[in-house]
Amino acid sequence: GGEAEWQALRVACGRPFPDAELTREINPLEAGLYHTISFSKGCYLGQETVAKVNGAPAPKQRLLGVRLDGPALPGTALFADDDGGARAGV
């Protein structure tokens, strides 16, 4: 399979990818990647932010997969219902 097939399988399995779903706006804890973070390792880039999020009752935002009824372009705003309910994501 090619790159497009790999990307489709990755998305279908809910696997976030750097510079796609994982960006500077989403940290590993918000993406549910707790198993990838060391809380005992020495200094590393982003350690203070990760420690702050880990010490909070819950992350301010979470990266989740959704299934849509039809296609949507990247960056399309998503809402909780068809009546313009709360913004659920982009």
Side-chain angles (χ1 to χ4, degrees):
E3 176 71 16
E5 292 173 349
W6 183 87
Q7 289 290 342
L9 179 60
R10 176 189 69 74
V11 169
C13 291
R15 304 294 295 189
F17 194 73
D19 296 326
E21 297 81 21
L22 298 176
T23 65
R24 291 183 181 268
E25 290 77 33
I26 299 288
N27 71 51
L29 300 181
E30 294 168 336
L33 299 174
Y34 283 83
H35 63 284
T36 67
I37 300 295
S38 172
F39 295 102
S40 60
K41 181 181 176 187
C43 297
Y44 57 89
L45 186 63
Q47 179 183 20
E48 291 179 17
T49 301
V50 168
K52 182 178 177 182
V53 172
N54 188 49
K60 190 166 67 170
Q61 61 183 2
R62 289 184 36 201
L63 178 65
L64 299 171
V66 297
R67 293 198 187 271
L68 303 174
D69 292 335
L73 295 174
T76 300
L78 303 176
F79 296 90
D81 59 41
D82 291 337
D83 297 325
R87 187 176 177 139
V90 175

